[in-house]
């Protein structure tokens, strides 16, 4: 075919083309070892020479037209042996979304006139922050050696807080592109994602991206991948997704090296739900991968976990927009709309089968996500509580890692105690609730789940300070610990060691993974990490360090409950669980802040931070006083004392019956302060 002849390049070969075949520039036979002989200057000149005449697709006019025609034929059926299911995994900001954009463009899945940066990132929040939050699927058609192939791509997030999205994506694939930035090298989440892919027995194709950058060091990065991860990089692909270099080699490698799905179209239908969302007009829309059998439009389908059945009103593929088809068979990825109104009927990880010919057993599904960070979500307007419950149920459908349960607070009324995988996850959920569901929310300070051993031998899990048993009933309190790996340039090792020691970290190991990059291994309490640990990590290393963590279990610690008393009354929402060594500094900060925020009363108001009955920090709001001595222009001192004594007695009576109402703004400010000091 024309495309095959115009692009007959042996990997790993770089090419840059103009608007005609005569303007094709080739950096022929550039292997990993000889790449440095071609200077960066020459590569930049060639890039600039073609930038004005080529839409950065890496294809000539004839190739672009052919890929456009091929893209329009992507709904045509191909044999199961010609299907490839793969995902793109990498550390955050290593170019996953840019590479996905270029693959969509080169295969003609998205036309140039419709193309925009981060095409698959369809949430405003993703575009504003420049990160991928949700996995996205897209079906492409690619012609290799005159044979059409169907490529199902799943783009995944890179941040550690969204690793559950990555694990669900990998379970629906046979292979993965491991993208590593040529200027930054192997980072923490690169390792974590590789281990996830290996657990799922996927074929991994190493791709070194951003080779067009002046600071790119592809040979060193390839050595890092081989030494740190242990992958064979003899066939690693060097590319620049932005400039369109090496895209054809990536597509060829997907076809050559990723195995096709198993041909099980004759078996009873079994399809794995890997994602879903709620559409206000069509109900629950389910994204699934057909493992066995086939499904047709109009079939009566059965959800094996929930036991519900529906008629498949609409089935289709994601390319990347929803396109209807009549049938999907084993190996294909698509969506289904069946007028499902209840969000509980179609959960992520469930197995779909046909009602008339049910499968004998369901698919393994997914391991339940374990929340690491908890906080309270309360509506500012109490009338919005039912709306918040509905919004959380619908959002949980789209974000399976979110967990929530009802909670009541004396200060903020009815709300929910929500569990998240991390601080960024918490932030994103709050913003999505406010934007997508038009809610106004108050968020309490993040906390973790503590394990309390009582004197009678019972074990209590405590995610809220109000649930902590009394000191006399507690034998010991345990908190979750994490193993954290910090990857950093060697210049910042000291700064990171100081940060980890300040957070009660236990040093375990340090090793150099490259000449100027080191790996630090620490074990520290999760409670110390849910605050501003990540922000401090980035600020102390000028943004160069990265981290990856995993929970390793519970350990006994000297933890106490810090209570706040205002006018001798306990304010339960302001209570917090802290380590004894930090109790004084946290108590002092909270009492000082409350003194600024609570309005003065007609009587003196003491503000105290207590451990049990012991006061460790105290401030006092002075009373608003009338000048009772104003009318005394002279006379004996006993007259003045009598008036002052009478005023003091009145203040004492007022204090005994008076009540201090803490304003909502004070709660908000103190909760924000707790995030900073804890």
């Amino acid at each position: 075919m024309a495309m095959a002849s115009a692009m007959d390049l042996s990997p790993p070969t770089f090419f840059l083309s103009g608007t005609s075949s005569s303007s094709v520039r080739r950096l022929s036979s550039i292997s990993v070892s000889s790449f440095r002989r071609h200077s960066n200057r020459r590569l930049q000149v060639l890039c600039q020479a073609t930038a004005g005449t080529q839409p950065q697709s890496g294809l000539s006019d004839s190739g672009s037209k052919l890929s456009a025609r091929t893209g329009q034929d992507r709904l045509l059926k191909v044999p199961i042996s010609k299907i490839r299911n793969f995902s793109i995994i990498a550390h955050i900001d290593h170019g996953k979304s840019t590479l996905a954009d270029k693959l969509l463009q080169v295969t003609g899945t998205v036309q140039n006139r419709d193309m925009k940066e981060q095409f698959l990132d369809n949430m405003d929040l993703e575009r504003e922050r420049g990160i991928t939050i949700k996995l996205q699927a897209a079906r492409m058609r690619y012609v290799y050696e005159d044979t059409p192939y169907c490529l199902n791509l799943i783009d995944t997030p890179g941040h550690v807080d969204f690793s559950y999205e990555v694990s669900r994506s990998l379970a629906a694939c046979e292979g993965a592109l491991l993208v590593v930035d040529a200027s930054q090298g192997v980072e923490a989440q690169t390792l974590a994602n590789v281990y996830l892919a290996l657990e799922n027995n996927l074929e991994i194709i190493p791709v070194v991206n951003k080779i067009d950058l002046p600071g790119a060091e592809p040979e060193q990065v390839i050595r890092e991948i081989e030494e740190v991860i242990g992958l064979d990089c003899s066939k690693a692909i060097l590319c620049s997704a932005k400039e369109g270099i090496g895209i054809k080699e990536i597509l060829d490698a997907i076809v050559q090296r990723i195995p096709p799905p198993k041909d099980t179209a004759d078996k009873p239908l079994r399809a794995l739900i890997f994602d879903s969302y709620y559409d206000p007009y069509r109900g629950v829309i389910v994204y699934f991968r057909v493992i066995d059998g086939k499904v047709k439009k109009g079939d009566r389908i059965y959800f094996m976990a929930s036991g519900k059945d529906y008629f498949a009103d609409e089935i289709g593929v994601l390319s990347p927009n929803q396109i209807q088809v009549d049938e999907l068979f084993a190996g294909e990825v698509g969506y289904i709309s069946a007028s499902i109104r209840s969000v509980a009927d179609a959960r992520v990880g469930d197995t779909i089968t046909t009602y008339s010919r049910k499968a004998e057993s369901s698919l393994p599904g997914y391991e339940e996500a374990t929340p690491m960070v908890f906080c309270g979500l309360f509506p500012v307007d109490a009338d919005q509580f039912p709306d918040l419950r509905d919004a959380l149920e619908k959002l949980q459908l789209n974000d399976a890692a979110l967990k929530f349960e009802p909670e009541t607070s004396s200060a903020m009324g009815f709300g929910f105690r929500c569990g998240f995988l991390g601080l960024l996850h918490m932030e994103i959920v709050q913003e999505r609730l406010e934007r997508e569901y038009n809610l106004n929310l108050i968020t309490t300070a993040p906390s973790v789940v503590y394990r309390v051993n009582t004197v009678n031998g019972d074990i209590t899990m405590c995610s809220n300070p109000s649930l902590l048993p009394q000191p006399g009933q507690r034998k010991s309190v345990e908190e979750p610990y994490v193993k954290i790996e910090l990857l950093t340039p060697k210049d910042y090792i000291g700064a990171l060691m100081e940060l980890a020691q300040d957070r009660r970290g236990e040093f375990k190991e340090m090793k150099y993974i490259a000449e100027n990059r080191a790996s630090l291994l620490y074990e520290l309490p999760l409670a110390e990490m849910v605050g501003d640990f990540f922000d401090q990590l980035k600020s102390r290393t000028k943004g160069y360090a990265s981290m990856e963590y995993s929970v390793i279990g519970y350990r006994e610690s000297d933890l106490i409950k810090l209570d706040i008393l205002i006018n001798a009354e306990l304010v339960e929402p302001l209570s917090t669980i802290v380590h004894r060594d930090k109790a004084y500094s946290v108590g002092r900060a909270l009492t000082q802040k409350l003194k600024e925020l609570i309005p003065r009363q007609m009587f003196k108001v003491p503000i105290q931070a207590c451990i049990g009955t012991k006061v460790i920090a105290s401030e006092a709001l002075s009373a608003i006083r009338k000048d009772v001595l104003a009318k005394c222009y002279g006379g004996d001192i006993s007259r003045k004392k009598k008036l002052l004594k009478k005023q003091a007695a009145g203040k004492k009576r007022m204090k005994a019956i008076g009540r201090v109402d803490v304003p909502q703004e004070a709660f908000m400010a103190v909760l924000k302060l707790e995030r900073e000091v804890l």
Side-chain angles (χ1 to χ4, degrees), residues 275-279 282-287 322 335-337:
D275 200 13
S276 56
Y277 72 95
Y278 188 85
D279 186 292
R282 297 188 293 167
V284 178
I285 307 297
V286 172
Y287 291 175
Q322 294 178 359
Y335 73 92
I336 198 162
S337 172

Side-chain angles (χ1 to χ4, degrees), residues 2-270:
M3 184 173 71
S5 60
M7 300 172 62
D8 186 19
L9 302 174
S10 55
T13 304
F14 301 95
F15 65 96
L16 296 157
S17 62
T19 55
S20 67
S21 57
S22 61
S23 63
V24 175
R25 273 80 169 171
R26 297 192 178 186
L27 303 178
S28 56
S29 304
I30 299 183
S31 64
V32 173
S33 57
S34 63
F35 178 72
R36 277 297 179 205
R37 291 202 295 272
H38 297 262
S39 68
N40 285 335
R41 176 180 169 79
R42 182 184 173 194
L43 184 58
Q44 290 166 0
V45 168
L46 288 173
C47 288
Q48 291 165 2
T50 57
T53 56
Q54 172 65 20
Q56 293 182 347
S57 65
L59 294 171
S60 62
D61 269 357
S62 58
S64 297
K65 289 174 183 174
L66 179 61
S67 67
R69 287 199 303 273
T70 305
Q72 291 167 2
D73 295 337
R74 61 188 179 274
L75 297 185
L76 298 179
K77 295 294 182 185
V78 298
I80 293 178
S81 61
K82 308 300 180 191
I83 295 176
R84 300 290 184 271
N85 297 314
F86 71 99
S87 61
I88 304 177
I89 55 175
H91 188 83
I92 191 168
D93 202 30
H94 277 209
K96 290 184 307 302
S97 296
T98 310
L99 178 58
D101 289 349
K102 193 59 69 175
L103 292 175
L104 293 174
Q105 195 174 1
V106 169
T107 55
T109 308
V110 179
Q111 301 303 315
N112 287 341
R113 64 177 179 273
D114 300 323
M115 199 63 205
K116 57 185 177 183
E117 287 187 5
Q118 290 178 266
F119 188 86
L120 291 175
D121 293 348
N122 49 24
M123 267 194 273
D124 292 339
L125 207 53
E126 292 178 309
R127 295 185 170 279
E128 286 170 19
R129 290 176 175 254
I131 59 173
T132 303
I133 295 168
K134 280 297 300 170
L135 63 88
Q136 299 291 340
R139 177 179 174 132
M140 303 178 291
R141 188 178 176 88
Y142 179 63
V143 177
Y144 173 72
E145 294 181 351
D146 296 344
T147 306
Y149 285 81
C150 172
L151 310 182
N152 289 312
L153 152 73
I154 301 180
D155 186 25
T156 62
H159 197 281
V160 62
D161 281 13
F162 304 110
S163 57
Y164 193 59
E165 295 279 320
V166 181
S167 64
R168 300 207 320 269
S169 307
L170 296 177
C173 299
E174 280 82 33
L177 297 179
L178 174 67
V179 179
V180 182
D181 190 323
S183 60
Q184 297 185 56
V186 174
E187 296 199 65
Q189 200 57 27
T190 312
L191 289 169
N193 287 333
V194 168
Y195 296 147
L196 281 174
L198 292 174
E199 283 174 15
N200 286 276
N201 297 318
L202 301 191
E203 178 66 35
I204 300 174
I205 301 174
V207 175
V208 180
N209 193 20
K210 303 187 183 181
I211 60 167
D212 58 312
L213 292 179
E217 296 179 327
E219 301 108 318
Q220 184 177 332
V221 170
I222 283 173
R223 280 199 305 273
E224 272 187 30
I225 296 172
E226 289 182 332
E227 292 170 9
V228 179
I229 302 175
L231 288 178
D232 178 17
C233 289
S234 58
K235 294 183 181 178
I237 300 169
L238 304 182
C239 82
S240 168
K242 188 177 180 182
E243 298 294 340
I245 303 168
I247 302 301
K248 180 182 181 297
E249 284 77 13
I250 291 173
L251 289 166
D252 290 349
I254 291 167
V255 171
Q256 293 166 1
R257 293 157 63 178
I258 293 178
K262 294 177 182 176
D263 189 352
T264 54
D266 297 333
K267 293 184 178 181
L269 172 67
R270 287 200 306 172

Side-chain angles (χ1 to χ4, degrees), residues 36 90 116 195 269 289 297 410 413 472 494 563 597 603 674:
R36 277 297 179 205
K116 57 185 177 183
Y195 296 147
L269 172 67
R289 151 84 192 270
K297 182 179 178 181
S410 57
D563 292 321
L597 297 167
F603 50 90
E674 279 187 358

Side-chain angles (χ1 to χ4, degrees), residues 12 55 104 114 169 180 197 205 286 294 325 353 404 411 446 492 551 637:
L104 293 174
D114 300 323
S169 307
V180 182
I205 301 174
V286 172
K294 53 191 172 184
V325 297
T353 187
F404 63 91
Y492 306 111
V551 178
I637 188 66

Side-chain angles (χ1 to χ4, degrees), residues 539-558:
S539 62
R540 293 190 187 203
T541 60
K542 301 180 182 176
Y544 284 109
S546 61
M547 66 178 232
E548 159 65 15
Y549 67 90
S550 58
V551 178
I552 56 174
Y554 280 79
R555 293 185 189 174
E556 187 175 329
S557 296
D558 189 9

Side-chain angles (χ1 to χ4, degrees), residues 73 145 181 301 312 331 338 341 416 432 442 530 554 566 571 579 582 599 658:
D73 295 337
E145 294 181 351
D181 190 323
I301 57 171
R341 289 294 164 193
F416 291 92
R432 287 187 69 184
I442 301 168
V530 299
Y554 280 79
I566 298 176
V571 185
H579 194 270
K582 295 182 71 176

